[in-house]
C-alpha cells in the first residue's frame, strides 16, 4: 500500500477479435465473465462450459458474455472459417509435371497468392504460367487458411508448330534461287 513497504503487481490480459473471418476453435470467457449464450447463424447452440466456447462448425457466431450477477453484458460476433481456398488449374497438375502452358483460377478473389519459381518469389501478371521451371504456389485467405501446390513445367520444342519445318524449307528455296541466278548469269573471264 501507500503507507507500507509492500507493493503488488497485477497483469491483466485479454484478446479482442476483429470481425474478419478467423480460423479459431476455442474462445475463453473474459476474466470475471461467464458464457451466457451462443448462436451459430442465428440458431441457438448448447455450451459445454460457462468458462469457454468450443467452435466446431464454420459460420457466424454470436457469443453473449455476462458477469455472474447478470448486470454487465458483452456480445461478441465472430466468423469462423477453416476451409482453405483452392486454385483450379488447366491442364491438371496432379502428376507434378506439365508440358504446356498452365492457367489458374482462385476460388477466393481476395486470397493472397504467392508464387515461387525455381526458389525465387515472382509476380504473376496474368493467370497463365509460361516459363519452364519448378513452381510452388501458396494461396492464403483472410482467415489464415492456406493450401500449397507444387509442379514442374517443361514445354520444350513443339515440332508440330511448323516453325522447325518452314524455316529450313525457306532457306533451301532461297539457296536454290541463288544457285539458279548465278548459273544463268555466269560470265567467263
Amino acid at each position: 500500500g501507500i503507507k507500507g513497504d509492500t507493493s503488488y503487481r497485477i497483469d491483466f490480459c485479454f484478446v479482442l477479435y476483429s470481425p474478419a473471418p478467423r480460423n479459431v476453435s476455442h474462445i475463453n470467457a473474459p476474466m470475471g465473465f461467464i458464457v451466457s449464450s451462443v448462436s451459430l447463424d442465428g440458431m441457438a447452440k448448447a455450451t459445454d462450459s460457462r468458462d469457454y466456447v468450443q467452435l466446431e462448425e464454420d459460420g457466424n457466431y454470436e457469443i453473449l458474455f455476462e458477469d455472474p450477477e447478470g448486470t454487465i453484458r458483452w456480445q461478441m460476433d465472430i466468423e469462423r472459417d477453416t476451409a482453405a481456398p483452392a486454385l483450379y488449374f488447366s491442364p491438371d497438375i496432379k502428376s507434378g509435371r506439365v508440358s504446356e502452358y498452365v492457367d489458374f483460377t482462385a476460388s477466393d478473389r481476395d486470397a493472397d497468392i504467392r508464387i515461387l519459381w525455381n526458389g525465387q518469389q515472382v509476380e504473376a501478371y496474368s493467370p497463365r504460367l509460361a516459363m519452364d521451371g519448378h513452381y510452388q504456389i501458396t494461396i492464403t485467405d483472410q482467415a489464415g487458411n492456406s493450401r500449397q501446390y507444387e509442379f514442374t513445367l517443361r514445354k520444350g520444342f513443339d515440332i508440330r508448330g511448323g516453325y522447325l519445318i518452314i524455316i529450313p524449307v525457306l532457306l533451301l528455296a532461297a539457296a536454290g534461287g541463288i544457285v539458279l541466278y548465278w548459273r544463268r548469269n555466269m560470265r567467263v573471264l
Side-chain angles (χ1 to χ4, degrees):
I2 296 173
K3 297 182 181 176
D5 57 359
T6 304
S7 63
Y8 298 95
R9 177 180 171 178
I10 299 172
D11 291 329
F12 184 76
C13 300
F14 57 92
V15 177
L16 294 177
Y17 290 98
S18 67
R22 298 199 159 275
N23 185 347
V24 65
S25 59
H26 183 88
I27 297 177
N28 288 320
M31 184 183 285
F33 285 83
I34 58 172
V35 177
S36 175
S37 67
V38 177
S39 66
L40 170 61
D41 296 327
M43 304 283 293
K45 293 198 57 87
T47 58
D48 296 336
S49 173
R50 298 185 62 91
D51 297 326
Y52 63 88
V53 177
Q54 193 69 30
L55 310 177
E56 296 174 356
E57 301 174 50
D58 285 0
N60 294 310
Y61 284 86
E62 291 179 6
I63 307 167
L64 182 63
F65 301 102
E66 62 184 19
D67 68 336
E69 291 83 33
T71 57
I72 302 173
R73 292 181 174 203
W74 177 58
Q75 181 174 324
M76 176 178 158
D77 297 329
I78 188 167
E79 180 182 349
R80 180 179 191 251
D81 178 12
T82 59
L87 287 174
Y88 303 106
F89 294 95
S90 176
D92 193 11
I93 62 162
K94 288 182 182 174
S95 66
R97 189 170 181 91
V98 182
S99 61
E100 56 187 288
Y101 296 124
V102 175
D103 295 318
F104 63 91
T105 306
S107 64
D108 183 357
R109 301 178 109 196
D110 297 329
D112 179 45
I113 299 174
R114 183 173 178 242
I115 301 174
L116 291 178
W117 174 67
N118 294 332
Q120 296 178 339
Q121 186 166 347
V122 295
E123 294 290 327
Y125 296 105
S126 72
R128 173 173 275 193
L129 303 173
M131 299 290 293
D132 284 359
H134 183 76
Y135 287 89
Q136 285 180 302
I137 304 175
T138 306
I139 181 169
T140 307
D141 65 8
Q142 292 179 347
N145 303 307
S146 66
R147 188 173 298 189
Q148 183 173 345
Y149 301 90
E150 193 169 338
F151 63 94
T152 301
L153 175 62
R154 294 271 182 248
K155 291 188 307 291
F157 288 111
D158 188 11
I159 295 174
R160 295 170 286 151
Y163 292 114
L164 294 177
I165 296 171
I166 293 173
I167 292 174
V169 168
L170 289 175
L171 289 174
L172 285 173
I178 291 172
V179 168
L180 283 174
Y181 176 77
W182 284 344
R183 186 151 175 91
R184 288 189 183 167
N185 297 321
M186 219 195 268
R187 293 186 199 170
V188 177
L189 296 174

